[in-house]
Amino acid sequence: DPDGGSDASVVTKTRPKTQRPPMYKVMLLNDDYTPMEFVVHVLERYFGMNHAQAFEIMLTVHKKGLAVVGVYSFEVAETKVAQVMEAARRHQHPLQCTMEKE
Ligand code: TYC
C-alpha cells in the first residue's frame, strides 16, 4: 500500500460447486383395499426392510395417507415404482407408488 494506509485483509476461499445428481423420494399411498400384509411384503421385497421396519412404515402410510419409503437416484426410483406398480397389478390391488424430486 503506497500511502501507508492499513489494508483490510479479507481472505475469500472459493468453494467449487460439486455436482450431485438430484435424488427422488419414492412414496407409497394409502388406500382402503390393499391388504396390510401385501404392503409389508412389498416393503420387504423391494425396499430391503426387515419385517418390523416394513410393518412400521405400512402403519404410517395407513394412518397418515402416505410415507416416503426411500430416496434414490432417478433410475433406481423409477425401477422401484415400476416394480411396486407391477406387483400391485398382478395381485389386483389398487396400491399406488409414486416418485418426486427431493
Ligand atoms: N389401508 C389399508 C387397509 O386398511 C392398508 C394399506 C396400507 C394400504 C398402506 C396401502 O400403502 C398402503 N387394508
Side-chain angles (χ1 to χ4, degrees):
D1 178 2
D3 304 324
S6 64
D7 289 311
S9 53
V10 177
V11 178
T12 305
K13 243 184 191 170
T14 58
R15 186 162 48 82
K17 283 268 186 300
T18 48
Q19 287 285 6
R20 268 175 308 187
M23 297 295 275
Y24 291 79
K25 298 180 286 193
V26 172
M27 289 159 315
L28 223 47
L29 276 59
N30 188 37
D31 66 72
D32 292 339
Y33 304 104
T34 303
M36 289 184 170
E37 53 267 37
F38 180 77
V39 178
V40 170
H41 165 79
V42 158
L43 291 171
E44 290 172 340
R45 172 144 192 185
Y46 300 114
F47 297 91
M49 297 181 194
N50 66 37
H51 193 77
Q53 290 170 323
F55 197 89
E56 193 177 303
I57 299 289
M58 180 281 295
L59 271 190
T60 301
V61 178
H62 177 70
K63 288 185 210 163
K64 309 244 177 183
L66 85 176
V68 174
V69 298
V71 179
Y72 308 97
S73 67
F74 182 84
E75 269 206 313
V76 174
E78 233 188 7
T79 301
K80 303 273 182 202
V81 170
Q83 286 171 327
V84 173
M85 294 303 284
E86 176 59 18
R89 189 202 60 78
R90 279 197 317 267
H91 293 85
Q92 302 192 297
H93 295 317
L95 181 64
Q96 294 292 308
C97 184
T98 61
M99 60 191 274
E100 181 181 293
K101 201 174 187 173
E102 214 180 22

